[in-house]
Amino acid sequence: MRHFGLSAFLAAASMTLLAGHAWSQNDRATPSNGKRAAMPGGSVEPRSPEGRGYLAQPLTTEIYTADPSARVFNGKIYIYPSHDIDAGIPDDDMGSQYAMRDYRVLSMDRPGAPVTVHPVAISVKDVPWAAKQAWAPDALFKDGTYYLYMPLKDKEGIFRMGVATSKSPVGPFVAEKQPIRGSFSIDPGMFTDDDGQSYMYFGGIWGGQLQRWATGKYDAAAGNTDRKQDDKPALAPKMARLSADMKQFAEPVQDVVLLDEAGKPILGGDHDRRFFEAAWVFKRDGKYYFTYSTGDTHFINYAIGDTPYGPFRYTGHILAPVQGWTSHHSVFKFENRWWLAYHDTQVGKKNSLRSVKMTEVFFNPDGTIRQIDPFKD
């Protein structure tokens, strides 16, 4: 069945969005000086437009943040998000409204600790080849250097992956003069295996342009959404191993194969399970978890494989739909507990003004994940 797109979602959402917002006494938002901000109406629990309570509160309300890639460096949590701004651009299916101009890093000593919002780590203007739209980033560390991976549109309007480096996890970062050779689309999800090999998983349809690369070459005429081939295998996310210097692909880009319970490729029409964007991989008990967003059905899903190359068999939902159109996440381990970083529109009340949140992830004895409801009643 064909699910409704962004324009239909917006029409429905506009009937229910509330003006303003209330705050809970449990809100963990803190300004960059490390002191907790006073919240107006602290005794009133925030509620969704449908009247539901939120499972978690934003990590910060100092700026709008989304698409959180959470990393643990030197025993501290660093979150590399998109930095949402109100660009005054109407919403569309290509994501024109997501006109972010720079990256800023969030950090905290542990889950629940005060959050620091660091200064600008790097701006679009600091990337020689880029023109606009600093979308969801990620970061890795190797041999004393922090690497920031960034999808930005080049001067021809095509998304590429850039790399920038710093000696500090919060920047400032210095960009390479050219994007990664052979890179395209969006949402770099980075993963380093136990043997030290690092990989990039990436891709996104609709505004992420993956449908325009279906033949291996960029084709603007391929459309703005997907291939509209519901009875054929869905467009696959992509991956490649990184070179030793962490700045290039060490092998040709290849598909990440997602299979259903019967071992068959997930079809394009299966919008509850097919890949849309937000690839993220982690490893637990020898198994590789490929996690992703379904986009227009608003789930965060996971599939499990035996190698970093897959194939990955669909297993279930991690996160039910949040408030807002997009859903984007990361899963990480801190000490002996697992956590999900995600975003919603509780504060901004607009699809392009989002806030990052966190909640704990729980695994069943067989390695499956207990589905999380972002609302608590």
Side-chain angles (χ1 to χ4, degrees):
M1 181 177 70
R2 176 66 58 190
H3 293 261
F4 58 82
L6 177 58
S7 57
F9 175 89
L10 291 172
S14 65
M15 301 299 293
T16 58
L17 288 180
L18 299 179
H21 57 269
W23 296 97
S24 165
Q25 290 176 329
N26 295 324
D27 195 295
R28 294 172 177 171
T30 57
S32 56
N33 61 12
K35 296 180 179 179
R36 290 180 181 266
M39 294 295 121
S43 61
V44 179
E45 182 182 15
R47 313 295 291 184
S48 75
E50 294 78 25
R52 303 184 70 191
Y54 297 99
L55 177 66
Q57 289 297 306
L59 296 183
T60 183
T61 56
E62 183 176 332
I63 60 174
Y64 290 109
T65 54
D67 313 323
S69 292
R71 296 292 172 188
V72 178
F73 297 134
N74 299 317
K76 188 172 180 177
I77 300 168
Y78 294 89
I79 296 178
Y80 298 85
S82 302
H83 176 200
D84 280 354
I85 59 172
D86 191 348
I89 299 172
D91 289 13
D92 63 30
D93 288 347
M94 291 300 290
S96 302
Q97 66 273 21
Y98 302 110
M100 297 83 98
R101 299 167 184 160
D102 58 34
Y103 295 106
R104 299 181 69 175
V105 183
L106 310 181
S107 68
M108 66 192 84
D109 290 335
R110 63 189 182 282
V115 174
T116 299
V117 181
H118 294 274
V120 172
I122 191 170
S123 298
V124 173
K125 62 182 176 58
D126 301 321
V127 183
W129 56 269
K132 60 181 179 179
Q133 287 182 292
W135 283 16
D138 197 5
L140 288 179
F141 174 77
K142 182 180 179 181
D143 297 337
T145 299
Y146 295 89
Y147 297 84
L148 184 68
Y149 299 90
M150 315 166 290
L152 303 107
K153 279 185 178 176
D154 65 16
K155 293 174 175 59
E156 296 179 346
I158 300 173
F159 270 112
R160 306 287 185 181
M161 301 293 180
V163 186
T165 57
S166 176
K167 293 300 181 181
S168 167
V170 301
F173 287 85
V174 177
E176 295 293 300
K177 294 182 179 180
Q178 298 294 332
I180 295 174
R181 291 187 296 274
S183 67
F184 54 92
S185 198
I186 60 168
D187 293 354
M190 313 308 297
F191 171 71
T192 299
D193 207 348
D194 299 334
D195 61 2
Q197 294 288 338
S198 294
Y199 304 84
M200 178 188 290
Y201 301 82
F202 63 97
I205 58 175
W206 294 31
Q209 302 179 340
L210 190 60
Q211 69 278 359
R212 298 182 178 182
W213 291 93
T215 65
K217 295 182 179 180
Y218 184 78
D219 178 12
N224 292 342
T225 55
D226 57 31
R227 290 183 293 181
K228 296 181 175 60
Q229 298 176 346
D230 288 0
D231 59 345
K232 294 183 179 180
L235 280 164
K238 307 298 180 182
M239 70 165 296
R241 180 170 51 86
L242 295 184
S243 57
D245 67 1
M246 306 290 280
K247 296 179 180 180
Q248 298 292 338
F249 294 151
E251 61 186 2
V253 170
Q254 56 191 286
D255 287 350
V256 176
V257 177
L258 298 178
L259 304 175
D260 64 17
E261 297 90 333
K264 297 180 180 180
I266 292 176
L267 300 181
D270 188 352
H271 286 210
D272 282 349
R273 298 193 294 179
R274 66 92 169 86
F275 173 81
F276 188 99
E277 62 185 359
W280 180 270
V281 170
F282 67 93
K283 189 177 183 180
R284 181 181 181 272
D285 292 344
K287 296 292 184 179
Y288 297 83
Y289 289 70
F290 181 86
T291 70
Y292 60 98
S293 170
T294 64
D296 57 352
T297 53
H298 321 295
F299 289 107
I300 298 295
N301 287 353
Y302 70 109
I304 300 176
D306 295 321
T307 79
Y309 291 93
F312 298 91
R313 184 163 295 192
Y314 172 82
T315 310
H317 303 314
I318 300 175
L319 182 66
V322 299
Q323 179 178 309
W325 200 90
T326 67
S327 196
H328 195 123
H329 70 296
S330 56
V331 178
F332 67 101
K333 187 178 183 180
F334 184 81
E335 296 179 347
N336 292 318
R337 297 162 70 183
W338 288 87
W339 297 86
L340 174 76
Y342 65 102
H343 70 234
D344 69 11
T345 61
Q346 174 188 336
V347 179
K349 301 294 190 293
K350 293 178 65 174
N351 290 315
S352 56
L353 294 178
R354 299 160 292 181
S355 298
V356 169
K357 298 183 172 185
M358 274 175 48
T359 193
E360 191 165 4
V361 175
F362 296 97
F363 293 83
N364 297 312
D366 62 358
T368 56
I369 299 172
R370 299 180 199 172
Q371 183 175 321
I372 296 168
D373 186 341
F375 302 97
K376 63 182 181 180
D377 56 25

